Amino acid sequence: MTIKDTPEEWEIRATETPFVGNKTSVRTDDVVMPDGTVVHRDYQVHPGSVAVLALDDADRVLVLRQYRHPVRHKLWEIPAGLLDVPGENPLHAAQRELYEEAHVKAEDWRVLTDVYTTPGGCDEAVRIFLARGLSEAEGERFEVEDEEADMELARVPVDELVRGVLAGELHNNCLVVGVLSLVAARAGDGLDALRQALAPWPARPFEA
């Protein structure tokens, strides 16, 4: 048997959007179950995101420490951001986020993995890129604000991040998934066998 997620959509009898925020909203659907019953399902509607595992020549990952109010923590994360424009090319968005958050550019881009962050309650899809061949970006640094104004930047060895993930010391979804995917890719067919940066992404279709 091939283990592979497949698209499917059960019948929706009614839907409403009781809350609309700046970037996301909450939707309530009345969904028909296999036995014919109808149940309410509330979930967050999200535009999607990109994240970048930026790996330098010393085998260190570029990470950021940022305050996240919903969980009341400062978390170590990899650069990431929203797909603000419907149909936005995720590679272009990832390159923008790496520049804005770290003032870094990369020569080699690959798709590391695609994930749904919390599919039981949110439709957010994230594409995590691997970026290599890092160098300082030209021009002035992007002006940050709000939580990002307090952000710290570091480069941490891959082995140290893996240790922190398995010890329960690092919790950010994209960091955890990205670092462990990197290790798995190396142990498999190698990083050069990863999907190309413009590989199709059915969860968030885009124009190359």
Side-chain angles (χ1 to χ4, degrees):
M1 181 177 66
T2 300
I3 303 298
K4 182 179 180 179
D5 296 335
T6 55
E8 185 169 339
E9 187 169 354
W10 292 359
E11 180 185 354
I12 298 173
R13 291 280 173 85
T15 186
E16 62 179 61
T17 306
F19 170 80
V20 177
N22 185 32
K23 297 292 185 181
T24 66
S25 60
V26 173
R27 183 177 296 163
T28 298
D29 290 340
D30 292 346
V31 185
V32 180
M33 297 289 106
D35 65 358
T37 59
V38 178
V39 300
H40 294 294
R41 288 293 178 259
D42 303 318
Y43 58 99
Q44 183 185 24
V45 179
H46 194 286
S49 307
V50 291
V52 185
L53 193 143
L55 185 68
D56 69 16
D57 293 338
D59 207 42
R60 300 174 303 177
V61 175
L62 194 155
V63 291
L64 313 163
R65 189 169 183 244
Q66 185 172 343
Y67 177 66
R68 293 301 188 183
H69 185 70
V71 295
R72 309 303 198 271
H73 270 71
K74 272 192 171 182
L75 300 179
W76 284 104
E77 308 179 350
I78 56 177
L82 297 175
L83 291 168
D84 293 315
V85 181
E88 184 176 14
N89 186 306
L91 174 60
H92 298 166
Q95 291 169 333
R96 179 189 68 231
E97 293 301 329
L98 185 60
Y99 167 75
E100 291 182 357
E101 296 192 349
H103 201 66
V104 166
K105 63 180 181 179
E107 295 300 320
D108 186 86
W109 290 82
R110 303 274 177 160
V111 175
L112 190 53
T113 191
D114 299 323
V115 295
Y116 290 114
T117 55
T118 48
C122 179
D123 71 351
E124 181 183 14
V126 180
R127 169 157 282 189
I128 304 176
F129 289 91
L130 172 66
R132 294 178 291 173
L134 308 184
S135 61
E136 191 79 4
E138 295 89 5
E140 296 183 5
R141 286 186 172 272
F142 183 78
E143 186 174 344
V144 296
E145 59 185 11
D146 301 327
E147 289 90 345
E148 291 182 351
D150 187 52
M151 199 161 53
E152 302 172 49
L153 178 66
R155 296 193 183 204
V156 180
V158 172
D159 289 347
E160 177 61 18
L161 293 175
V162 171
R163 185 207 63 77
V165 168
L166 299 181
E169 298 169 357
L170 299 171
H171 307 89
N172 175 262
N173 183 292
C174 291
L175 172 65
V176 171
V177 172
V179 168
L180 297 185
S181 295
L182 173 72
V183 173
R186 282 176 164 172
D189 295 330
L191 301 184
D192 290 334
L194 291 168
R195 286 173 290 163
Q196 296 298 312
L198 293 176
W201 188 18
R204 293 294 185 272
F206 63 93
E207 292 186 6

